[in-house]
Amino acid sequence: MGAAICCVLENGKMRFGELKKSIQGITERMLTLQLRKMEANKLIKRTVYAEVPPRVEYEMTSITRELDPIIKELQAWGEKHRKMMEHT
């Protein structure tokens, strides 16, 4: 699931709701748990803005940005094999 989050965040900062809409089939609870774990491991950065209502954004850290070439390869592999996986 972390790879899916990284794929989505590859294009820049996103809010929780945007992430949830972008990752098919993920529950709020699973997304929350994954984001917390990734933040604890310094793979993503969580920024809370002092607004009403509060705004929270997630983005990849510089460490995770090093994975960009690998993430792109995983995306390409997924696209290549998507049709086969949908028919099983």
Side-chain angles (χ1 to χ4, degrees):
M1 202 52 61
I5 294 170
C6 287
C7 287
V8 172
L9 288 176
E10 185 177 41
N11 295 322
K13 298 177 184 179
M14 293 183 84
R15 296 176 72 174
F16 184 89
E18 295 170 318
L19 282 167
K20 186 171 181 323
K21 287 178 188 173
S22 299
I23 302 172
Q24 186 177 14
I26 194 166
T27 64
E28 283 189 26
R29 176 158 169 70
M30 181 55 68
L31 180 56
T32 298
L33 292 172
Q34 288 295 314
L35 289 170
R36 285 181 186 163
K37 185 176 181 179
M38 293 176 75
E39 183 182 10
N41 289 322
K42 309 285 191 240
L43 299 174
I44 61 169
K45 178 183 173 191
R46 178 178 182 261
T47 305
V48 180
Y49 296 91
E51 299 175 356
V52 177
R55 179 170 53 110
V56 179
E57 291 182 335
Y58 298 90
E59 64 184 306
M60 295 170 73
T61 62
S62 59
I63 294 168
T64 311
R65 284 275 169 213
E66 293 177 22
L67 294 171
D68 277 350
I70 297 166
I71 291 169
K72 287 183 188 321
E73 287 295 321
L74 285 171
Q75 286 176 317
W77 180 88
E79 290 299 319
K80 180 179 177 182
H81 298 288
R82 176 173 299 206
K83 288 182 182 167
M84 179 202 59
M85 290 184 275
E86 289 175 351
H87 296 330
T88 57

